[in-house]
Amino acid sequence: MEESFFERAWDVVRQIPEGRVASYGQVAHLMGAPRCARQVGYAMHGSPGVAGGVPCHRVVFADGSLAPGFAFGGPGEQRRMLEAEGVGFLPGGRVDMRNFAWEV
């Protein structure tokens, strides 16, 4: 049986190392669906979360912005989780993508 889009997205996100982030577009590209960044967002919103093995808090917008509707407690919780892993932020509140983006 073929994996669903959500399951394929979750499989990619499970590979993002602790202390790194990926953009929605990067996840879409890596799963072979380069124009589906928005759908990756839906997959993250519907994920079982870290307890289910999907570190969706590591997925951010390409400019390092956090998702305003982070499903597991809002952007404040997403930032807290990323900082706990050592991810750095710029003064404006965005992730420092230059230093913390996942390089595949």
Side-chain angles (χ1 to χ4, degrees), residues 8-51:
R8 289 177 25 232
W10 299 339
D11 286 344
V12 171
V13 172
R14 285 184 182 105
Q15 298 173 48
I16 304 170
E18 184 174 321
R20 296 286 178 209
V21 297
S23 71
Y24 295 96
Q26 181 180 8
V27 172
H29 176 76
L30 290 170
M31 61 184 285
R35 295 180 173 251
C36 295
R38 185 179 303 269
Q39 289 88 337
V40 169
Y42 296 140
M44 295 307 100
H45 187 75
S47 82
V50 177

Side-chain angles (χ1 to χ4, degrees), residues 1 3 20 45 49 53-54 58 80 83 85 91 93-95:
M1 188 159 115
E3 279 187 309
R20 296 286 178 209
H45 187 75
V54 182
R58 296 181 186 148
R80 186 199 64 71
E83 286 179 329
E85 294 184 359
R94 293 179 291 128
V95 171

Side-chain angles (χ1 to χ4, degrees), residues 36-78:
C36 295
R38 185 179 303 269
Q39 289 88 337
V40 169
Y42 296 140
M44 295 307 100
H45 187 75
S47 82
V50 177
V54 182
C56 56
H57 64 286
R58 296 181 186 148
V59 184
V60 300
F61 290 106
D63 69 354
S65 298
L66 303 182
F70 182 71
F72 305 99
E77 180 63 11
Q78 184 179 15

